[in-house]
Amino acid sequence: MTTMYKPPGDTKRESAGPAHARPRDPRLRTALILAPLYLITSALLAWWASDSITDHKWFLEVLAGVALLLFVVEVVRGYKAWHRSRH
């Protein structure tokens, strides 16, 4: 006699299709969140520095440069995490 019952341990997780794909690696997810934030922060600080007429304009420019550097670092980390998850 055969039954249609499957024990709970035999269930397999179905993989989501490309439309429902989510990054499973937390490093990739973090990079996808932080990279645009750093880019927007860099752009806003650079804009603020360009409108500033004070003597402390250099400080805003340095902060914009640091935010841009952090953006590049996050893009590289995200690419490396994405590349590892594909192989």
Side-chain angles (χ1 to χ4, degrees):
M1 180 170 149
T2 59
T3 62
M4 300 294 273
Y5 174 74
K6 271 189 177 178
D10 290 345
T11 58
K12 291 183 180 177
R13 220 176 177 176
E14 293 183 21
S15 63
H20 303 296
R22 289 186 359 222
R24 295 177 191 211
D25 190 6
R27 291 174 293 191
L28 180 59
R29 190 176 306 137
T30 303
L32 286 173
I33 292 170
L34 289 180
L37 273 168
Y38 288 141
L39 184 63
I40 291 168
T41 302
S42 175
L44 289 175
L45 284 169
W47 184 32
W48 188 14
S50 70
D51 284 347
S52 179
I53 56 172
T54 64
D55 293 336
H56 303 292
K57 182 178 181 176
W58 64 270
F59 185 68
L60 294 172
E61 292 171 347
V62 168
L63 284 178
V66 168
L68 188 62
L69 178 67
L70 289 172
F71 165 73
V72 171
V73 167
E74 284 299 321
V75 166
V76 169
R77 285 181 64 203
Y79 174 75
K80 286 171 65 176
W82 175 78
H83 189 65
R84 283 185 194 142
S85 69
R86 295 291 174 205
H87 292 290

